[in-house]
């Protein structure tokens, strides 16, 4: 299943939980963290700190622009 996933989008609490794992479970995946707080990237994660998410991550494959 993970092989078919290109991007993981998660909230700050889920991200904090993942950081506590002995090994980073998302190696090789783009990770976007939705947060209102500053984010110090430890594994090349990206923070999305805005309130408008529409268009922030591009258009899903196979869908036309709306």
């Amino acid at each position: 299943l993970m092989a078919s996933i290109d991007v993981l989008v998660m909230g700050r609490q889920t991200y904090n939980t993942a950081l506590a794992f002995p090994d980073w479970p998302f190696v090789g995946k783009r990770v976007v963290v939705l947060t209102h707080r500053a984010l110090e990237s430890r594994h090349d994660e990206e923070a999305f700190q805005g309130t408008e998410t529409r268009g922030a991550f591009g258009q899903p494959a196979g869908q036309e622009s709306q």
Side-chain angles (χ1 to χ4, degrees), residues 3-35:
S4 66
I5 296 172
D6 295 322
V7 179
L8 290 142
V9 179
M10 65 183 71
R12 183 57 179 260
Q13 292 297 69
T14 303
Y15 170 72
N16 288 343
T17 298
L19 284 178
F21 296 158
D23 296 311
W24 182 242
F26 310 119
V27 173
K29 301 294 181 187
R30 179 180 173 206
V31 176
V32 178
V33 181
L34 305 178
T35 182

Side-chain angles (χ1 to χ4, degrees), residues 44-61:
D44 296 323
E45 307 84 12
E46 303 170 38
F48 183 79
Q49 296 176 312
T51 56
E52 177 61 48
T53 57
R54 178 178 286 229
F57 308 109
Q59 189 69 25

